Amino acid sequence: MASYVLGLSSGYHDSAAALLRDGEIVAAAQEERFSRVKQDPRFPAAALKFCLDEAGIAPGDVDTVFYYENPRKKLNRIASTYLNFGLRGYRSFVSEMPAWLGRKAHVKKALRRELSARFGAAAASPAIEYIDHHESHAASAFFPSPFQEAAVLCVDGVGEWATTSAWVGSGNGLVPLWDIRFPHSLGLLYSAITYFCGFKVDSGEYKLMGLAPYGEPTYRDRILDHLIDVKPDGSFWLDMDYFDYAVGDCMVSDRFARLFGGPRRMPEGPITRREFDLAASIQVVLEEVLLRLTATLRRQTGRKALCMAGGVALNCVANGKLLHAGMFEDIWVQPASGDSGGALGAALAGWHGRKGAARRPHDGDRMKATLLGSHYDDVRIEAALRERGAVFTRLADGTLCDEVADLLAAGNVVGWFQGRMEFGPRALGSRSILGDARNTTMQSVMNLKIKNRESFRPFAPAVLEEHAAAWFDLDRPSPYMLFVVGVRDERRIPVSDAERRLAGIERLKCVRSSVPAVTHVDYSARVQTVGPDANRRFRALLERFHEKTGCPVLVNTSFNVRGEPIVESPDNAYLCFMRTQMDALVMGNFLLRKEDQPVHVETSDWRAEFALD
């Protein structure tokens, strides 16, 4: 009889559920995809229902539920922090502590209540256990990895106490080595700069990373002299006089603002040279600290492979620098490195760590290309389209990729909805918006007319795995879009002296390579390689596009607009298609062209209805 364990994350941001059957990942999904609330922190009822339905079981069939952190330890950290900061945190203490004492510290009781209310009394019968936050991250990094032995590094904002932690993984075991504790946090330092530059904490860090190549690291020394003291081994200490996040309601203090010449940029305000240079500076500091930490971990453990998780592990620019440094022979990063991946990590830590189950031999990693989410067959897709009055054509398997490749080669932007949904923040060819990477206007078109987001943000290339090394400085598979590397020299186009003098966003005007839509202003790209077994229909489309154009690269970005989660259902996909300027939509075997549809909903209506940030 099969044994099932469930992992849950909820209560803070990006809640999720993950289900294992005899240690194998059956399903995993974020609640936001079903609720349509970006980074939904609520109990993941819909995600849990999907996981159970996918396995064909009832909640009572689950042996144990593992929650991704320990709220009692977290309460201890919060109370201790307020005591240490004294009167400075009194107002926040008075507003925050009642919720903790009355609700947040009693997660097991809350989970049983939710399970019983939504799934019946029998759903509350499984045992519920806590897994420490960084153990959840470490388990999500090591246990699905392709390595039997590895060093493990977890870096995020904060868990219970740890903000950075090091581990050694071997077989079915994880041994903690050391940690760095709150309030000293590399993730919160990066988030503080994100906030100061006018972006939203816990989601705007991607923007800051994308902004960095437009600036110069002129504030690097100021950050290292005042904000963070970094030791040769990578350990660090923040000067908390510059920050307010420990006990206040703001990320930074007035002293922080004075250090950088005035108040923060207001959201949606003009981006100035200061923001460009701050982004470049904190990115350089982050990379320097991570390089020191990983060098220390390599010396301490002697392991040849490194696994990473935690929100900072999604900084793919820093990941690329670690890969290039060559301290480890191989690096594997959990593609759902944030709190949603904590649900999977909790389940894996429970299965291997608490239950002592062995890891089974596995060819490659165990993430199944992140295709762990919901899926819709053509019968359900067609029903959804008819309900909307959509006009569509059904294509045969043998002609679908051929026709879509022609659309892309002609400069069309195509919504692509196929198979199982991805788990984690990246769209990897199942819930994607696709374009021709050779097109010189594709980046601005997709940013401003499709995604409704800032023009400076880069797009990622999806490339046939066997051709990646001919286009990018990459000597290994990168299936999860988690490493930024250079575009090959022979694919680059030199900029003129006049173009070299351009500053800030003006640098976007330069065509830098033969795939300009995916080449950032520093000649870099966040590469996804697509191998023969990862996502077969997406792979087939890339092959047909390559045959027709000689280019094995497509623009691949997530199927959503700014402020909205990635689409989950055919209805989500159709509405997003109609409310943006996408040219075509392909769902299953159905092709929809925008000009054929009975009603067009303008992008302005979409922005008003969803109040995009």
Side-chain angles (χ1 to χ4, degrees):
M1 185 175 178
S3 179
Y4 293 92
V5 299
L6 177 69
L8 294 178
S9 64
S10 68
Y12 298 95
H13 55 86
D14 211 9
S15 65
L19 185 68
L20 308 184
R21 179 175 54 222
D22 294 334
E24 291 299 310
I25 307 169
V26 175
Q30 294 135 278
E31 184 69 8
E32 67 165 18
R33 305 292 175 85
F34 303 93
S35 69
R36 313 309 300 154
V37 177
K38 186 75 171 176
Q39 292 186 320
D40 195 338
R42 295 171 295 181
F43 178 78
L48 172 55
K49 183 179 185 304
F50 153 71
C51 289
L52 296 172
D53 290 346
E54 187 67 22
I57 63 171
D61 296 324
V62 173
D63 297 332
T64 311
V65 176
F66 293 99
Y67 185 69
Y68 82 126
E69 64 183 11
N70 189 318
R72 295 185 183 278
K73 291 183 180 180
K74 196 162 193 174
L75 175 60
N76 175 266
R77 184 256 296 170
I78 291 169
S80 298
T81 300
Y82 280 122
L83 288 172
N84 288 334
F85 277 82
L87 290 175
R88 178 177 164 186
Y90 178 75
R91 191 185 324 174
S92 178
F93 174 84
V94 170
S95 64
E96 181 76 9
M97 288 306 293
W100 267 99
L101 294 173
R103 175 174 53 87
K104 291 184 178 181
H106 304 289
V107 169
K108 289 183 181 180
K109 185 184 297 184
L111 290 178
R112 292 194 191 283
R113 186 169 56 247
E114 290 280 4
L115 289 167
S116 179
R118 297 176 184 275
F119 300 100
S125 62
I128 299 175
E129 296 185 24
Y130 297 143
I131 304 291
D132 284 3
H133 189 93
H134 268 235
E135 184 181 357
S136 293
H137 278 319
S140 78
F142 176 62
F143 291 129
S145 80
F147 313 129
Q148 283 300 306
E149 291 189 344
V152 182
L153 181 66
C154 302
V155 188
D156 65 359
V158 62
E160 291 83 14
W161 279 102
T163 67
T164 301
S165 63
W167 309 70
V168 172
S170 180
N172 69 341
L174 269 171
V175 178
L177 297 179
W178 47 260
D179 63 28
I180 297 171
R181 295 196 160 200
F182 186 86
H184 309 289
S185 169
L186 200 55
L188 289 174
L189 171 63
Y190 201 91
S191 291
I193 301 287
T194 299
Y195 167 84
F196 193 72
C197 289
F199 302 119
K200 188 177 179 181
V201 172
D202 290 331
S203 62
E205 288 81 1
Y206 294 126
K207 300 179 184 182
L208 197 71
M209 182 178 66
L211 195 66
Y214 294 93
E216 299 295 330
T218 57
Y219 294 105
R220 171 194 173 274
D221 291 347
R222 199 175 305 184
I223 292 171
L224 291 170
D225 289 343
H226 295 275
L227 300 186
I228 182 171
D229 178 20
V230 185
K231 304 303 181 185
D233 64 358
S235 60
F236 54 85
W237 189 269
L238 301 189
D239 185 339
M240 294 309 296
D241 288 340
Y242 290 94
F243 304 94
D244 195 42
Y245 60 74
V247 292
D249 55 4
C250 183
M251 288 300 296
V252 299
S253 67
D254 292 341
R255 189 174 180 181
F256 187 104
R258 290 194 297 271
L259 181 66
F260 295 112
R264 68 180 290 233
R265 167 185 171 260
M266 295 306 294
E268 305 301 331
I271 299 175
T272 68
R273 167 56 56 187
R274 182 182 70 166
E275 284 75 51
F276 290 129
D277 291 348
L278 273 170
S281 301
I282 190 58
Q283 183 64 37
V284 165
V285 169
L286 174 71
E287 292 163 8
E288 289 180 11
V289 178
L290 288 175
L291 283 165
R292 293 187 191 186
L293 286 170
T294 51
T296 297
L297 193 54
R298 180 74 168 89
R299 288 194 302 270
Q300 288 177 339
T301 66
R303 298 300 192 273
K304 297 179 179 180
L306 173 68
C307 298
M308 296 178 65
V312 175
L314 292 172
N315 191 301
C316 47
V317 177
N319 295 345
K321 298 292 174 61
L322 294 177
L323 193 67
H324 180 73
M327 283 178 287
F328 289 89
E329 291 182 7
D330 209 350
I331 300 175
W332 192 86
V333 182
Q334 166 56 241
S337 272
D339 279 6
S340 60
L344 176 60
L348 289 164
W351 180 255
H352 294 295
R354 301 300 186 271
K355 293 182 177 293
R359 290 173 78 198
R360 296 176 179 174
H362 202 275
D363 185 18
D365 70 49
R366 297 168 60 193
M367 287 298 295
K368 301 179 180 178
T370 76
L371 305 182
L372 301 167
S374 56
H375 50 96
Y376 294 81
D377 60 22
D378 278 358
V379 173
R380 297 173 71 191
I381 293 172
E382 183 174 2
L385 292 176
R386 292 194 183 281
E387 180 71 20
R388 286 286 178 182
V391 177
F392 55 85
T393 302
R394 180 165 189 153
L395 301 176
D397 289 341
T399 60
L400 184 143
C401 289
D402 194 70
E403 188 151 350
V404 177
D406 284 337
L407 286 170
L408 291 165
N412 292 287
V413 177
V414 177
W416 181 257
F417 182 102
Q418 302 289 334
R420 292 191 73 170
M421 179 175 66
E422 302 92 341
F423 178 56
R426 308 291 190 217
L428 299 172
S430 288
R431 304 289 185 273
S432 293
I433 299 173
L434 306 176
D436 186 348
R438 304 169 302 161
N439 192 312
T440 57
T441 62
M442 186 59 66
Q443 181 185 8
S444 60
V445 167
M446 292 181 84
N447 265 329
L448 300 177
K449 295 184 178 181
I450 310 296
K451 301 282 283 186
N452 298 326
R453 69 183 198 180
E454 299 89 348
S455 60
F456 67 81
R457 295 178 65 182
F459 287 107
V463 57
L464 289 170
E465 183 179 284
E466 63 271 28
H467 294 283
W471 291 77
F472 305 100
D473 294 328
L474 187 65
D475 62 355
R476 67 197 72 198
S478 175
Y480 299 127
M481 211 182 277
L482 285 167
F483 296 94
V484 166
V485 298
V487 174
R488 295 275 302 182
D489 286 345
E490 57 267 32
R491 305 292 178 182
R492 298 183 181 189
I493 298 173
V495 296
S496 66
D497 290 339
E499 289 172 326
R500 202 172 283 113
R501 288 192 291 271
L502 294 175
I505 300 298
E506 291 296 306
R507 297 174 67 188
L508 271 175
K509 297 178 180 178
C510 305
V511 176
R512 287 181 162 76
S513 80
S514 54
V515 281
V518 296
T519 303
H520 208 9
V521 294
D522 59 353
Y523 290 103
S524 69
R526 176 165 50 93
V527 178
Q528 175 198 0
T529 59
V530 183
D533 300 318
N535 187 327
R536 293 187 180 181
R537 180 164 277 187
F538 187 44
R539 163 86 184 189
L541 175 61
L542 274 165
E543 288 174 340
R544 292 300 294 129
F545 185 79
H546 181 220
E547 290 168 7
K548 289 173 178 289
T549 66
C551 177
V553 184
L554 286 172
V555 180
N556 178 18
T557 189
S558 55
F559 199 151
N560 66 324
V561 295
R562 183 181 175 205
E564 182 205 27
I566 295 173
V567 299
E568 183 273 330
S569 69
D571 201 54
N572 300 155
Y574 182 74
L575 289 175
C576 187
F577 166 63
M578 291 300 294
R579 288 166 170 160
T580 65
Q581 296 183 42
M582 270 183 268
D583 301 296
L585 170 62
V586 184
M587 289 199 288
N589 280 65
F590 300 102
L591 170 64
L592 294 80
R593 300 174 188 268
K594 180 62 67 65
E595 65 267 21
D596 296 338
Q597 303 311 306
V599 178
H600 288 259
V601 181
E602 298 300 327
T603 304
S604 57
D605 294 333
W606 169 260
R607 292 179 64 85
E609 182 176 345
F610 287 89
L612 302 181
D613 59 11

